Amino acid sequence: MSMELKEQSRSGEDVFIERFEDLIGPNTNGSESEWTLNRRNAIQVFAQNGFPNKKSESYKYTPVTKWLQSQLKNGMHTAAGSSVQSGNLKNEALPTPLLDESEVRGEPSSLENMKGLHVHATNGLIRGSLSEALPTGLIICSFKQALVDHPKLLSEYLTKAVVLERDPFAALASAFAEDGILIFVPAGLEVEKAIVIHHDALFSNSLIQARLLVVAEEGTKVNVIEHFPFLDAGSSFENRVAEVFAGKGARVDHVLVMERNDQTLFVNSLFVHQDANSFFRTNTVTLGGGLVRHNLNFLPDAEECETHLHGLYVAKGTAHVDNHTLVDHAKPNCFSNEIFKGIVTNQAVGVFNGKVLVRQDAQKTNAYQSSKCIVLDRGARTYAKPELEIYADDVKCSHGATTGELDEDALFYLRARGIHPDAAKLMLLEAFAKDIIGLIDFDEVRNYLYQRLHGLLTVTK
Amino acid sequence: MHVSIEEDGTEILKGLNLKVGSGEVHAIMGPNGSGKSTLASVLAGKDGYEVTNGTVAFCGDDLLELAADERAREGLFLAFQYPIELPGVSMSNFLKQAVQSVREHQGKEALTSGALLQMMKEKAALVHLDPALKSRSVNEGFSGGEKKRNEIFQLAMLEPKFAILDETDSGLDIDALRIVADGVNHLRSPERSFLLITHYQRLLDYIVPDFVHVLMNGRIVMTGGKELALELEEKGYDWIKDETTQLA
């Protein structure tokens, strides 16, 4: 128990900063790679800002630091898969793990069988080889591989969309991630099959800082589906940062399905940069996790961009799910539409914070936002904070947030037809969720989600 | 039966007695605010009302002891005055769930999907509903007339013992009224009784009732045959008001 006392005397930030120094070593002045300098910069930004505290407005409803500290006290593995394998880890920099270092894999999901280019990842890193040959020019590889084969790509794009100052977790992941997954779609290529990333293995009780970089050049088309399935991997902290560049006229479609266990602290920071006439859409579906925070940041940085943010969450037990979005309209004639829906029950908490910023130059912006949440239990809570900040004078913007119980009249109508109350509730909840899931293009993904939802909501009171 | 609004205790039904025999069609008419829709809601089991006194016997059961869905499975049906839109709930799923729940309860075997589909097709034709509606959301985007016809379609699917039609005629044009009435007439049988709640005599030209009751101020103040409806159409309700006050 001396360990715990020791931990209490150090702040969470110090633990990470010391750990980073152990990992990277002292600055070798000039001889370091651009990426390493990049990482040093990120840890500096993190050191300056620290973890969110009680006064941090953007984490007001989401006590992520408290969670993290209690997890640190309990111990967790400190690095991504590559470091777990290397023998020179200084584990004393963080408390020793409680469990062994065995890899935990989930049951294969039906998404494995969908038509697509499948990528499997352990602790955020590509495992094994890809399922099939890639179309000419398409690159899917680890950052380390890219450093050798395509060094210019990384230096041109990595951390260029991430705003380190905006969120300490994005800075932390940018500093710590020792590798990542790169998807590069060269100009003009339309990738017919979806790229399906299965984040399907973790080391138990681990701390994972992972990265994803998607570069879709001019005139490309690509679908990226990410699945974080349920894993019985103890209490893990997954902090990942993803960057997406949608080039001129590119169409990038993203789906994220998060189903980790209830001891998982999951922070997902997505930064999207859009060039002229590009289309980006994400559908962020959260069906699991203990504390989940999605930081979704969009910068339509040229004219005629189209941005769609769709999200669905189901929070049960003591889960806490927070969707925090920012659409930064910097240029004129862009369109954004944001729709989030949530179902919270038991003692769970749902948080939605959607900010739309329309800068002075961004005339003729059309920006819409809606957040709807159904609260099934007296113990469950929800917070919604839509924010519109508009500096241009010729724009169309709207927002709406509703929270309520299931519609009594609708329930009565179903029951008046002989349908049992539980079945009636389930029908209405599924119908509610369908609005979001129905927006996903892939039958296999939709059907998988309907089936998962059915299971989740059936046992929900 | 005495019924109050739960929230504020206002008494709506003030001693209502009614007996509907098997296979009979009863019409209840009455001015606005007389308690007609409250009667329908209370019989169907809608929350928000308190039955302060009285019982409702339904085929040997105490209806008031049953939850709304149990009543429906026992064979009670309410055609809503304002059918609810259920975005995202398809007609086919809705009907499947409803029909199978009711059949299961009544000890009938579950229908195969094929048989259910066939049944939907036949019953939809009764009220001239497009069979393509099965893939649409329940009542969403339906016209006023379609919504009412959809109620009768559901009635036909669920084959209840006792059906309450709550102002099913309101908002219908002549043609739609005729279609709805034809559907109902087709569904009349010695095992099925109807309670028609209506403002207008017109509906009763098409669905000829065995009895007409006048509901005023929470009580049935007059009962007669189908000719009573014609008399009401001609003279309004005031003469009844006068007569009943004289009696009281």
Side-chain angles (χ1 to χ4, degrees), chain A residues 115-117 132-133 135 190-196 222-223 442:
Chain A
K115 208 175 135 198
L117 303 166
E132 55 188 288
E190 297 191 356
V191 187
E192 187 199 334
K193 291 179 181 170
I195 298 169
V196 191
V222 64
N223 290 280
F442 298 89

Side-chain angles (χ1 to χ4, degrees), chain B residues 195-215:
Chain B
L195 186 63
L196 311 175
I197 292 174
T198 180
H199 268 296
Y200 305 106
Q201 179 270 333
R202 203 179 58 186
L203 176 72
L204 307 181
D205 283 344
Y206 298 105
I207 309 172
V208 181
D210 301 304
F211 300 95
V212 174
H213 310 277
V214 179
L215 184 65

Side-chain angles (χ1 to χ4, degrees), chain A residues 409 413 415 417-418 420-421, chain B residues 69 72-73 78 101 139 151 154:
Chain A
D409 289 336
Y413 192 71
R415 292 178 57 204
R417 297 298 175 250
H420 292 265
Chain B
D69 48 300
R73 291 194 292 276
L78 170 66
S101 306
N139 292 324
E151 294 295 291
Q154 293 167 44

